[in-house]
Amino acid sequence: MITKRCIKSENTPIGQACWELPDESIYVHRLQHETKSLDCVIIGYWEKDWNGDIENAKTVSKFSGAYEEIKLNSILYENRRISYEEFFNQSLAIATRKNWNLSAFNAPNLAVCYLTDFLRRLGHNVEFVNFVNHHMDKFKHLLSKTPRCVALTTTYYVDHQVLVDLVEMIRRSSPTTKIVLGGPFIYSLVSRESQEVQDFILSEIKADIYILDGQGETTLGNVVESLKTTNGDISTVPNLAIRKEKVIHRTPVLPENNNLNNNSIRWKAFDKDFLGRVVYLRTSRGCPFSCSFCTYHINGGKFEQMALSTLEMEMRALCEQGVTHLMFVDDTFNVPASRFIEICKMMKRNRFRFKWISYFRCGHVSEEIFDLMQESGCTGVILGIESGDQSVLDIMNKGVKVEQLGWSIEQLNKRGIATAASLFVGFPGETEQSVNNTIKFLNETKPTFQMVQLYYHYDYTPINRRASEFSIKGAGYSWSHKTMNWKRAAELVRKVYTSVPGSIITPLRRFDLWTMQYWESLGFRRETLMQFLKIAQEMLLATLDEQQPNFSAQQNRLASLFSGTDTRTALSRLNSLQ
């Protein structure tokens, strides 16, 4: 087991683990004498071809809104639906006469960086594959070394069938390697489902070991250590579900409380070519709010924040590594306001000159905050607007007034900070009038981008406690309540998209503000990306009814757009990456 200091305070619950990593120097000697065997391979993300998902969704389109949501995030092009990212690559290929296979998933996966560094600090021999689809040769090479274990992060997965296929692919390449799964998908599963359902899904996935803690890095470290020193006996490691055939055995629970400051990422330990110019950063854990459509405030654990000095240290390292663009993934990066102000001032004081984006909450803001955001390099924010109707916002327990949302968008737009308004249609209590109010709100405030999706009902969120009050029936994309059903909501999403000409449609699937930040880090100008989105928007709206118009005019405009001088810097950098 990992030897650690256990630091407790008067606020630490009895029986709860409160670990911090020892000084790195303790492990230097051990690391130098580590065997050459590979202890662990961290796997970031593997994307399954979504054509199968499209066909499956289409077959049940009379009973579920899943296919409607796909149509709202894709273009019917040359008789098949493709994502914006694929269309971007195709358009670039036509303009440059060279095939491209670029993906924003090539940006360093934050979980991969964090877990790799965490395990290496413990002296383990660890390698990683950031994005399997684009690094298949590396993936196969590392598995050929028969590592003791492969650890899969599950941040981006919502369907266990994808994990089934990935586990099977790993098993074929390295049959004796232990496969470990943890992260948001697994923790969400064990938090909301009965043990019977959990066991069924975990048996279906067929991994060997599942980490059940919401954090999990200490548990993973203990698993790797046990595989090395106890002949594979992990029965004494807490927080696990261990699969043996179709039987799932659970070990005792010992909640983790890993220190954000002691476990900060040593960015200088990563190769500059891997980091590139854009990196995700996390400065906090958990959420202090309690929106009724979300469970993160429950499952994410206690709201904790990294010390300003630790964040400053990480940002200095990233600056020295040549990183120019940052993406803060905190759900509540600007809360509390006092800390956010100090972060912005720290960035100004260090003259980092990062271009950064983040999520942003519109309550408790001031002109000083917006000024500091602009001065510290903020180029865009994702706003969880959710609705432009006050009654719906109140049911959501958003704790914000429509007027506050509008004023924030006005102030951000005024300072040239891109605003991406994220909304969904069909939440319990939604009506035709509330959707009209949302349309009116968007037309008046004019956010740069609009990201509108069909409501997806999770039956384990707080709003479901009011199921009888709202007559909620069904789940997922197949639901109804007393004022609306999924079919009408899907029609109203289309109405929003066609009634708000002043905001550019940005799909949630593979071309949101995060994706644009990645393209910008490669040298594309935002104006170029916005022109691409405007042309793609014409095509999206034209194909919502499965019609296939002649897009020669749009194709010519795209060819001209990507052949212009504005893209030369980007193309030069892209050529160096190929």
Side-chain angles (χ1 to χ4, degrees):
M1 303 287 284
I2 296 173
T3 303
K4 291 185 171 184
R5 296 192 295 267
C6 183
I7 298 179
K8 290 182 177 285
S9 71
E10 59 181 357
N11 296 320
T12 303
I14 296 174
Q16 185 180 71
C18 182
W19 300 118
E20 74 171 22
L21 281 171
D23 294 337
E24 295 174 34
S25 58
I26 296 175
Y27 290 102
V28 171
H29 181 77
R30 175 178 170 181
L31 182 61
Q32 291 173 343
H33 292 81
E34 191 67 61
T35 62
K36 292 184 179 180
S37 59
L38 191 53
D39 298 321
C40 184
V41 177
I42 306 293
I43 303 296
Y45 183 62
W46 176 64
E47 184 173 49
K48 188 178 178 181
D49 181 10
W50 77 322
N51 287 319
D53 293 337
I54 293 174
E55 293 306 313
N56 291 336
K58 189 182 291 188
T59 60
V60 296
S61 58
K62 291 183 179 180
F63 314 102
S64 166
Y67 187 58
E68 281 297 316
E69 187 67 10
I70 287 173
K71 289 194 292 184
L72 291 164
N73 286 275
S74 64
I75 297 168
L76 184 60
Y77 185 68
E78 296 181 347
N79 297 313
R80 70 182 185 91
R81 289 214 162 266
I82 63 174
S83 69
Y84 269 45
E85 184 178 85
E86 182 178 353
F87 184 57
F88 184 83
N89 277 301
Q90 286 193 16
S91 302
L92 197 60
I94 293 172
T96 62
R97 298 182 181 179
K98 177 178 178 179
N99 290 328
W100 301 94
N101 190 25
L102 301 166
S103 172
F105 281 112
N106 278 321
N109 184 301
L110 184 57
V112 166
C113 296
Y114 180 80
L115 292 174
T116 297
D117 192 48
F118 185 92
L119 292 179
R120 283 177 176 173
R121 289 171 67 168
L122 295 173
H124 300 306
N125 187 10
V126 181
E127 294 294 341
F128 63 86
V129 181
N130 190 67
F131 181 33
V132 175
N133 300 65
H134 284 194
H135 302 96
M136 187 60 72
D137 289 343
K138 180 180 181 181
F139 175 76
K140 292 179 178 178
H141 173 71
L142 291 175
L143 290 179
S144 72
K145 293 178 174 289
T146 316
R148 288 190 172 92
C149 70
V150 170
L152 310 182
T153 64
T154 61
T155 303
Y156 297 110
Y157 300 114
V158 295
D159 177 12
H160 82 277
Q161 186 57 52
V162 180
L163 293 167
V164 171
D165 296 340
L166 180 55
V167 167
E168 183 180 335
M169 185 165 62
I170 294 169
R171 192 83 70 197
R172 287 197 303 266
S173 299
S174 187
T176 61
T177 294
K178 297 294 183 184
I179 302 176
V180 186
L181 260 69
F185 178 86
I186 299 301
Y187 186 64
S188 178
L189 173 68
V190 301
S191 298
R192 73 176 191 260
E193 300 290 358
S194 67
Q195 187 166 317
E196 181 181 8
V197 172
Q198 293 175 36
D199 288 358
F200 174 78
I201 293 177
L202 298 181
S203 297
E204 284 272 298
I205 296 173
K206 294 183 180 178
D208 300 293
I209 305 164
Y210 300 92
I211 295 174
L212 307 183
D213 190 87
Q215 296 179 29
E217 53 264 43
T218 292
T219 301
L220 177 59
N222 284 331
V223 167
V224 176
E225 183 77 9
S226 296
L227 292 176
K228 291 171 64 174
T229 60
T230 63
N231 296 318
D233 181 12
I234 57 172
S235 59
T236 60
V237 177
N239 307 321
L240 297 181
I242 304 169
R243 185 187 67 86
K244 294 182 179 179
E245 298 299 329
K246 292 188 177 181
V247 179
I248 305 294
H249 302 275
R250 286 169 173 75
T251 61
V253 174
L254 183 61
E256 296 185 23
N257 186 14
N258 300 289
N259 190 292
L260 287 174
N261 297 306
N262 294 336
N263 302 332
S264 62
I265 299 173
R266 302 173 303 172
W267 293 106
K268 288 186 180 180
F270 290 93
D271 187 81
K272 288 185 178 182
D273 288 338
F274 163 65
L275 293 180
R277 293 186 177 181
V278 63
V279 163
Y280 292 95
L281 273 183
R282 179 188 68 170
T283 78
S284 64
R285 181 168 56 211
C287 178
F289 298 93
S290 53
C291 299
S292 64
F293 54 82
C294 179
T295 61
Y296 187 57
H297 61 283
I298 302 171
N299 297 337
K302 178 184 175 183
F303 181 57
E304 298 178 276
Q305 296 173 304
M306 179 184 287
L308 186 66
S309 58
T310 304
L311 176 59
E312 185 173 16
M313 177 182 67
E314 286 200 29
M315 294 178 75
R316 283 178 177 169
L318 288 169
C319 187
E320 292 176 14
Q321 289 288 75
V323 172
T324 57
H325 293 66
L326 299 179
M327 298 184 279
F328 292 100
V329 300
D330 311 60
D331 279 40
T332 53
F333 183 49
N334 63 306
V335 177
S338 57
R339 176 180 183 263
F340 182 62
I341 287 171
E342 290 306 312
I343 289 175
C344 291
K345 287 181 176 179
M346 178 269 290
M347 287 193 271
K348 282 184 58 182
R349 184 171 62 250
N350 283 277
R351 299 180 181 179
F352 283 133
R353 304 191 186 283
F354 289 119
K355 293 182 178 179
W356 61 269
I357 64 172
S358 73
Y359 292 109
F360 188 83
R361 293 189 71 98
C362 296
H364 310 291
V365 292
S366 65
E367 291 202 30
E368 178 194 11
I369 286 176
F370 295 123
D371 287 340
L372 285 170
M373 291 170 67
Q374 180 187 35
E375 293 163 4
S376 62
C378 180
T379 61
V381 288
I382 298 176
L383 306 172
I385 300 296
E386 322 307 357
S387 174
D389 180 86
Q390 190 62 56
S391 64
V392 175
L393 289 173
D394 292 342
I395 297 171
M396 292 176 173
N397 197 33
K398 284 289 292 183
V400 69
K401 298 298 183 183
V402 171
E403 291 77 17
Q404 290 176 290
L405 299 174
W407 186 74
S408 293
I409 293 173
E410 176 190 351
Q411 295 300 314
L412 291 163
N413 287 344
K414 179 180 175 182
R415 290 164 175 80
I417 298 173
T419 48
S422 176
L423 309 98
F424 49 88
V425 172
F427 192 71
E430 186 89 88
T431 63
E432 305 255 345
Q433 183 57 52
S434 68
V435 175
N436 288 335
N437 289 342
T438 294
I439 291 171
K440 181 174 182 289
F441 169 82
L442 292 173
N443 280 322
E444 289 177 347
T445 60
K446 294 182 173 56
T448 316
F449 305 107
Q450 55 169 320
M451 302 182 294
V452 187
Q453 62 185 122
L454 174 64
Y455 174 61
Y456 187 100
H457 182 69
Y458 293 99
D459 56 11
Y460 53 87
T461 51
I463 191 61
N464 205 57
R465 298 171 194 156
R466 303 172 66 181
S468 60
E469 176 186 350
F470 290 103
S471 302
I472 301 172
K473 297 178 182 178
Y477 283 122
S478 182
W479 53 263
S480 67
H481 50 70
K482 65 182 181 181
T483 55
M484 193 167 292
N485 60 30
W486 69 265
K487 290 183 179 179
R488 183 54 183 152
E491 293 170 352
L492 290 170
V493 174
R494 294 189 183 197
K495 181 178 180 180
V496 175
Y497 272 170
T498 56
S499 303
V500 185
S503 299
I504 303 171
I505 295 174
T506 307
L508 294 168
R509 183 183 285 268
R510 305 299 294 276
F511 220 98
D512 55 11
L513 196 62
W514 308 106
T515 306
M516 283 186 273
Q517 182 81 336
Y518 176 72
W519 300 132
E520 287 183 52
S521 76
L522 296 177
F524 285 98
R525 296 175 67 243
R526 178 168 293 181
E527 291 78 3
T528 300
L529 299 174
M530 291 174 69
Q531 286 301 314
F532 166 79
L533 284 171
K534 288 178 179 178
I535 296 170
Q537 175 173 318
E538 296 174 15
M539 302 170 73
L540 179 149
L541 295 175
T543 59
L544 284 175
D545 291 321
E546 304 289 74
Q547 301 299 313
Q548 181 67 86
N550 184 324
F551 287 135
S552 57
Q554 286 84 356
Q555 289 171 327
N556 289 335
R557 286 157 59 197
L558 286 168
S560 175
L561 178 68
F562 289 128
S563 298
T565 56
D566 288 348
T567 63
R568 287 180 182 174
T569 301
L571 295 178
S572 175
R573 179 164 177 77
L574 292 174
N575 276 314
S576 69
L577 293 174
Q578 292 292 302

